[in-house]
């Protein structure tokens, strides 16, 4: 009964600002390491007629897409006000190394991307589906598909499903994190 009320909880209490910092650092590390695999998957995919030849600097769009998908997931694990607060700290942490004008522009651009992503979520339901479709659109994968899918302007289902499966590895595991930690707002 005491454990039920959290009196004997062994969860580590972490302030929301620190959680945002950990979150951004960890996601950035995963993105930096994982983009190599995503880039190779897309560039060498047998389901595309022509190689897209993504470059290392194409990680910029990928980073935005991954953060958008992850930020969308906050609402599954936190109440609305908590998710909004955590989102704000995440954005601050993402752009903390920029001067004030650059930071304002970067956040404004991110908010535009967030509106774009919200539209994708309404059409594709799940974050990984939306992330995969955003990659399809932002990297103009349609230009590299066979004629049938190119005319439909839809991703090849095999390519799309494989990409979704890869993108699952870029989602923050809140269940595991919250099992061990308590976020203090």
């Amino acid at each position: 009964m005491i454990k039920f009320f959290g009196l004997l909880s062994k969860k580590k209490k972490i302030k929301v600002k620190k959680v945002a910092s950990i979150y951004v650092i960890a996601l950035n590390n995963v993105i930096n390491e994982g983009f190599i695999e995503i880039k190779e998957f897309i560039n060498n995919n047998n389901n595309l007629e022509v190689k897209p030849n993504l470059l290392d600097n194409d990680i910029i769009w990928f980073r935005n897409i991954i953060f958008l998908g992850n930020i969308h997931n906050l609402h599954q694990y936190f109440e609305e006000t908590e998710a909004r607060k955590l989102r704000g700290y995440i954005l601050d942490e993402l752009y903390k190394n920029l001067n004030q004008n650059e930071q304002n522009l970067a956040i404004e651009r991110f908010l535009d991307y967030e509106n774009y992503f919200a539209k994708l979520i309404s059409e594709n339901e799940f974050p990984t589906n939306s992330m995969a479709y955003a990659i399809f659109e932002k990297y103009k994968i349609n230009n590299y598909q066979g004629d049938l899918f190119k005319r439909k302007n839809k991703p090849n289902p095999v390519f799309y499903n494989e990409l979704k499966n890869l993108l699952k590895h870029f989602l923050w595991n809140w269940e595991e994190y919250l099992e061990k930690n308590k976020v203090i707002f």
Side-chain angles (χ1 to χ4, degrees):
M1 186 69 156
I2 292 176
K3 189 174 183 181
F4 176 75
F5 289 114
L7 298 174
L8 292 178
S9 176
K10 294 185 180 188
K11 288 184 179 185
K12 186 177 178 182
K13 294 178 181 177
I14 305 176
K15 292 184 179 182
V16 67
K17 267 183 133 171
K18 180 69 175 167
V19 171
S21 177
I22 292 166
Y23 180 88
V24 169
I25 290 168
L27 276 179
N28 271 325
N29 287 339
V30 169
I31 290 166
N32 290 336
E33 298 294 320
F35 181 70
I36 296 164
E37 290 184 36
I38 296 295
K39 183 178 74 170
E40 287 179 16
F41 165 77
I42 292 172
N43 286 340
N44 300 314
N45 197 286
N46 293 332
N47 296 299
L48 300 176
E49 295 289 316
V50 180
K51 292 183 180 207
N53 293 318
L54 296 183
L55 304 171
D56 290 339
N57 65 349
D58 288 321
I59 195 170
I60 295 166
W61 266 116
F62 184 71
R63 183 177 317 284
N64 286 325
I65 291 166
I66 298 304
F67 271 98
L68 287 165
N70 276 285
I71 285 174
H72 176 78
N73 266 352
L74 295 177
H75 296 286
Q76 289 183 345
Y77 300 96
F78 300 97
E79 295 195 22
E80 188 175 333
T81 55
E82 294 172 339
R84 198 173 324 121
K85 190 176 222 179
L86 180 53
R87 177 186 159 279
Y89 286 126
I90 290 167
L91 291 179
D92 289 345
E93 188 67 28
L94 264 173
Y95 302 116
K96 72 180 180 182
N97 295 328
L98 302 176
N99 70 44
Q100 190 64 43
N101 287 337
E102 291 173 331
Q103 190 178 51
N104 290 340
L105 287 171
I107 290 174
E108 191 174 312
R109 188 174 38 234
F110 190 86
L111 295 175
D112 287 341
Y113 298 156
E114 203 169 37
N115 290 333
Y116 161 75
F117 198 76
K119 179 180 158 257
L120 288 181
I121 286 285
S122 69
E123 296 169 0
N124 295 289
E125 191 174 359
F126 300 109
T128 50
N129 297 11
S130 299
M131 291 160 61
Y133 198 81
I135 287 171
F136 173 78
E137 282 192 340
K138 293 302 178 182
Y139 292 126
K140 299 180 183 359
I141 302 298
N142 194 50
N143 296 340
Y144 306 102
Q145 297 193 110
D147 290 337
L148 174 66
F149 292 111
K150 195 181 283 187
R151 277 193 307 271
K152 291 181 176 183
N153 195 24
K154 297 283 183 199
N156 176 311
V158 174
F159 170 84
Y160 182 68
N161 286 327
E162 289 174 353
L163 183 57
K164 284 191 313 188
N165 287 333
L166 289 173
L167 292 173
K168 288 178 186 173
H169 300 286
F170 291 89
L171 290 176
W172 181 268
N173 188 343
W174 280 111
E175 290 165 0
E176 183 179 313
Y177 188 82
L178 293 173
E179 209 172 89
K180 299 174 186 172
N181 303 288
K182 176 158 178 60
V183 181
I184 307 300
F185 286 90

